[in-house]
């Protein structure tokens, strides 16, 4: 398995042809399998043109920023919280916006059932955060796929990754069903709704105004209500959530620290280390080493 780094914080895996042949020949994995997978945060100057068509469908999920793509002479614009699937067998071009570069999760996939998921998803499809959204859950599925493929390419791993890919693609194609199956939050509980919104947007730089606007309250009223119920200001609570998520990634993944900071919406690695040290009493590197010990 080839992993490569390009953009700051990037992670990607390119499956060797030998492994792809294993997937194609497996009675389970052949239904849906991955040839390439990755995550590009703030992918400035990202541009890809394929004049020769490829055999795989290409899913791109834009978490933040904007971009564009062109297929069959028609150009589309994609924004944050939207995804699209480029169909196999068609030349295409796509790129990140120069002013607001996109952060994307992407997967090249194929298989007997791949077309079912790709059908009807050429135009941008919106998956907006709300009280019932499960964006954090969807990201966790993606991360489990990535970790599985990064750990090995034996038959069981490929089958497990294939099964997870079914779940991941279903979560974006059948959004209503995916949301209905999740934990329900009472939308009259403003604080619980705000915390859910924080978790759904963990990779973004949320402001107090963003949180207050989401709940429909003024910033001052929202802050007072939030602190009364949690004992923390909204932004301090958001920092706690980000550091908790960073700890989980330090514990359970091999991600580099400069990759983790993007995953929790802090682009400056030095600032991330300072915030982490203040919260945890040690640097991210020391935390990981202590857990290993």
């Amino acid at each position: 398995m080839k992993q490569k780094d390009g953009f700051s914080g990037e992670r990607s895996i390119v499956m060797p042809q030998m492994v792809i042949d294993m997937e194609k020949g497996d009675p389970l994995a052949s239904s849906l399998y991955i040839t390439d997978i990755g995550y590009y945060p703030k992918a400035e100057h990202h541009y890809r043109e394929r004049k020769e068509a490829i055999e795989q469908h290409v899913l791109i999920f834009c978490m933040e920023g904007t971009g564009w793509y062109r297929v069959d002479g028609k150009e589309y614009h994609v924004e944050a919280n939207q995804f699209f699937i480029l169909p196999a067998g068609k030349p295409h071009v796509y790129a990140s916006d120069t002013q607001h570069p996109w952060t994307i999760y992407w997967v090249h996939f194929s298989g007997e059932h791949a077309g079912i998921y790709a059908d009807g998803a050429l135009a941008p499809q919106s998956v907006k955060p709300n009280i019932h959204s499960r964006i954090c859950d969807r990201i966790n599925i993606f991360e489990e796929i990535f970790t599985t493929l990064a750990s090995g390419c034996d038959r069981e791993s490929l089958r497990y990754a294939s099964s997870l890919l079914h779940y991941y693609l279903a979560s974006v194609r059948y959004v209503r069903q995916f949301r209905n199956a999740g934990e329900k939050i009472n939308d009259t509980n403003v604080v619980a709704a705000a915390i859910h919104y924080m978790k759904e947007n963990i990779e973004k730089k949320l402001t107090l105004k963003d949180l207050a606007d989401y709940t429909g309250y003024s910033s001052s009223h929202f802050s007072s209500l939030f602190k009364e119920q949690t004992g923390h200001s909204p932004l301090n609570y958001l920092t706690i959530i980000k550091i908790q998520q960073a700890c989980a990634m330090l514990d359970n993944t091999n991600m580099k620290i400069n990759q983790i900071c993007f995953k929790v919406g802090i682009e400056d690695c030095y600032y991330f280390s300072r915030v982490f040290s203040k919260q945890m009493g040690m640097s991210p590197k020391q935390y990981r080493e202590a857990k290993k010990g």
Side-chain angles (χ1 to χ4, degrees):
M1 229 86 60
K2 181 182 178 184
Q3 296 191 54
K4 57 183 181 179
D5 294 311
F7 306 103
S8 178
E10 171 196 340
R11 293 178 300 137
S12 61
I13 295 174
V14 177
M15 307 294 281
Q17 187 58 48
M18 179 183 70
V19 175
I20 294 174
D21 290 341
M22 287 175 59
E23 294 175 309
K24 287 181 178 179
D26 185 84
L28 179 60
S30 61
S31 68
L32 189 69
Y33 58 87
I34 294 165
T35 62
D36 309 78
I37 184 170
Y39 167 76
Y40 291 171
K42 301 291 184 182
E44 191 174 4
H45 306 304
H46 181 212
Y47 177 89
R48 182 65 149 159
E49 182 175 9
R50 294 187 175 95
K51 295 181 179 180
E52 298 294 329
I54 59 175
E55 297 178 356
Q56 302 83 31
H57 302 281
V58 180
L59 165 74
I60 295 181
F61 199 121
C62 180
M63 295 296 296
E64 192 174 13
T66 60
W68 62 270
Y69 58 102
R70 187 166 56 244
V71 182
D72 288 336
K74 184 175 181 179
E75 189 167 306
Y76 302 83
H77 178 77
V78 62
E79 301 177 345
N81 301 309
Q82 290 186 326
F83 76 90
F84 58 93
I85 300 178
L86 299 168
K90 287 184 177 289
H92 56 249
V93 56
Y94 53 83
S96 178
D97 183 78
T98 54
Q99 299 299 316
H100 306 284
W102 62 16
T103 292
I104 57 173
Y105 289 88
W106 56 268
V107 185
H108 291 211
F109 65 97
S110 190
E112 298 163 12
H113 297 145
I116 297 173
Y117 293 107
D119 185 43
L122 175 57
Q125 312 288 307
S126 294
V127 186
K128 301 292 185 183
N130 66 26
I131 192 67
H132 302 299
S133 61
R134 298 174 61 195
I135 292 173
C136 186
D137 290 345
R138 183 179 294 109
I139 290 172
N140 288 340
I141 299 167
F142 182 95
E143 291 299 338
E144 194 160 343
I145 295 171
F146 194 96
T147 300
T148 298
L149 294 177
S151 300
C153 54
D154 56 282
R155 184 179 66 173
E156 286 74 19
S157 294
L158 296 177
R159 286 182 169 183
Y160 185 56
S162 172
S163 301
L164 287 172
L165 181 59
H166 275 285
Y167 190 22
Y168 182 78
L169 293 176
S171 80
V172 297
R173 292 312 319 268
Y174 311 117
V175 174
R176 179 175 60 83
Q177 291 81 359
F178 183 65
R179 290 182 173 181
N180 286 344
E183 180 184 359
K184 295 296 181 286
I185 295 174
N186 185 342
D187 57 9
T188 62
N189 188 331
V190 173
V191 172
I195 292 172
H196 177 74
Y197 187 74
M198 291 177 186
K199 292 178 179 178
E200 293 292 86
N201 291 277
I202 195 76
E203 296 183 20
K204 299 176 183 177
K205 289 182 179 179
L206 294 178
T207 65
L208 177 59
K209 186 176 185 303
D210 292 330
L211 296 169
D213 287 348
Y214 177 72
T215 62
Y217 286 85
S218 68
S219 295
S220 59
H221 188 187
F222 169 67
S223 293
S224 176
L225 188 65
F226 194 97
K227 190 164 187 177
E228 180 181 336
Q229 290 194 33
T230 68
H232 298 276
S233 71
L235 293 184
N236 185 49
Y237 197 94
L238 176 60
T239 298
I240 292 171
I241 291 175
K242 287 178 180 288
I243 298 305
Q244 286 177 338
Q245 182 68 16
C247 287
M249 287 185 279
L250 287 167
D251 289 340
N252 303 316
T253 76
N254 293 321
M255 273 191 263
K256 299 175 183 177
I257 293 171
N258 73 322
Q259 295 170 334
I260 290 175
C261 67
F262 277 97
K263 290 283 290 176
V264 296
I266 302 175
E267 298 168 31
D268 187 327
C269 291
Y270 296 105
Y271 177 70
F272 168 71
S273 292
R274 289 200 301 272
V275 173
F276 188 98
S277 298
K278 183 177 179 181
Q279 289 283 334
M280 302 301 298
M282 64 181 77
S283 70
K285 183 178 179 181
Q286 290 170 332
Y287 177 88
R288 175 171 268 170
E289 289 174 349
K291 287 293 180 176
K292 288 180 179 179

